[in-house]
């Protein structure tokens, strides 16, 4: 055992498998913040989105209001008013004012 300890002290790279794994690999299964996705089926019904049109719905950034009571601009401009066909077009409209 004395010889093994000397070996660790002389060359620490040689016996890395004897060390404990780094902390980042131990916490990989933990949550990484708030959920940033919203499936279309679970979107509020007052948005009146089609169930079969796609898989995802735009996730609103509610701010100080409740998530269920707010409506994203993309839903208003794309789905209800039909001003745009894609999210990118909605962004261009909003940036133009």
């Amino acid at each position: 055992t004395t010889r093994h300890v000397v070996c660790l002290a002389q060359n620490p790279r040689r016996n890395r498998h004897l060390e404990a794994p780094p902390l980042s690999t131990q916490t990989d299964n933990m949550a990484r913040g708030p959920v940033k996705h919203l499936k279309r089926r679970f979107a509020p019904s007052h948005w009146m989105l089609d169930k079969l049109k796609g898989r995802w719905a735009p996730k609103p950034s509610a701010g100080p209001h409740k998530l269920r009571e707010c409506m994203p601009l993309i839903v208003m401009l794309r789905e209800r008013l039909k001003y745009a066909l894609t999210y990118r077009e909605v962004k261009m409209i909003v940036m133009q004012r």
Side-chain angles (χ1 to χ4, degrees):
T1 58
T2 315
R3 188 173 187 193
H4 185 65
V5 173
V6 172
C7 180
L8 279 175
Q10 289 176 355
N11 193 356
R13 291 184 186 173
R14 189 174 186 188
N15 296 316
R16 281 205 177 155
H17 63 279
L18 297 175
E19 299 173 8
L23 204 69
S24 63
T25 60
Q26 293 175 352
T27 59
D28 282 343
N29 297 332
M30 295 177 66
R32 296 182 183 262
V35 177
K36 297 182 181 178
H37 298 85
L38 178 67
K39 289 207 174 179
R40 196 172 271 266
R41 289 183 51 202
F42 303 115
S45 60
H46 69 271
W47 290 3
M48 293 186 279
L49 298 176
D50 298 333
K51 282 191 278 187
L52 302 176
K53 195 171 181 182
R55 179 171 292 181
W56 303 105
K59 174 93 177 198
S61 56
H65 309 289
K66 292 181 182 176
L67 189 68
R68 289 283 173 193
E69 293 177 0
C70 65
M71 179 180 293
L73 279 175
I74 187 171
V75 171
M76 182 66 75
L77 293 174
R78 185 177 70 180
E79 310 292 337
R80 288 203 178 173
L81 298 175
K82 310 282 188 207
Y83 284 162
L85 296 174
T86 62
Y87 174 69
R88 186 176 177 188
E89 290 179 5
V90 171
K91 282 191 350 185
M92 303 266 294
I93 292 170
V94 170
M95 287 183 186
Q96 287 177 1
R97 290 190 217 173

